[in-house]
Amino acid sequence: MTETIEPAATDALSDAVAADPSTANQEKLWAATFGLERWWFVQRGEPENPQPFVGVHQDQPFLMAFTSAQRARGFAIENGLSPADAEVLVLALTPDDAVAQAPIWLQQGIAAITFDHGIAGYFAPLGNLPAIRSHVANLL
């Protein structure tokens, strides 16, 4: 069964950044990203200690974040992390909670976070998340 995934508001903004990586376009993309109610992650690990899925992108460990639970589920199925007929467990973190968690992820050797990998695929180094959030806070 193939699931239809509606484009996220960030898709058009990510496309705009790809076409013109100006500061204004990047600010709009990150403001929209930080304006999301939740960031979604495919859940790994034990239910009592869930962890977000970490993939490898450009030879570096990346957190794979998604703009919706449906996109996280689609990624898990498409990448063999879960069978299509099984329940896919996802984690939902507010952007603030994810920023608060970033130092721990950095200590674990995770380099960056990517959003909607395989769809939009924009990313940032984990250490830059607090500065990005502060920079776009007035745009939210």
Side-chain angles (χ1 to χ4, degrees), residues 102-110 126:
I104 295 166
W105 290 327
L106 280 166
Q107 287 178 348
Q108 295 171 347
I110 301 169
L126 277 177

Side-chain angles (χ1 to χ4, degrees), residues 39-122:
W39 294 351
W40 300 88
F41 303 86
V42 175
Q43 181 176 309
R44 307 308 285 163
E46 300 300 319
E48 61 275 0
N49 186 27
Q51 299 295 317
F53 174 74
V54 176
V56 177
H57 183 63
Q58 299 177 349
D59 296 326
Q60 301 231 0
F62 270 59
L63 282 174
M64 300 294 189
F66 298 88
T67 56
S68 72
Q70 294 81 11
R71 286 181 175 207
R73 181 182 187 282
F75 175 84
I77 292 167
E78 290 168 13
N79 289 280
L81 302 174
S82 181
D85 59 352
E87 180 180 31
V88 176
L89 299 178
V90 295
L91 296 173
L93 296 175
T94 66
D96 286 343
D97 287 343
V99 170
Q101 183 71 25
I104 295 166
W105 290 327
L106 280 166
Q107 287 178 348
Q108 295 171 347
I110 301 169
I113 186 169
T114 185
F115 288 86
D116 292 338
H117 183 75
I119 300 167
Y122 59 100

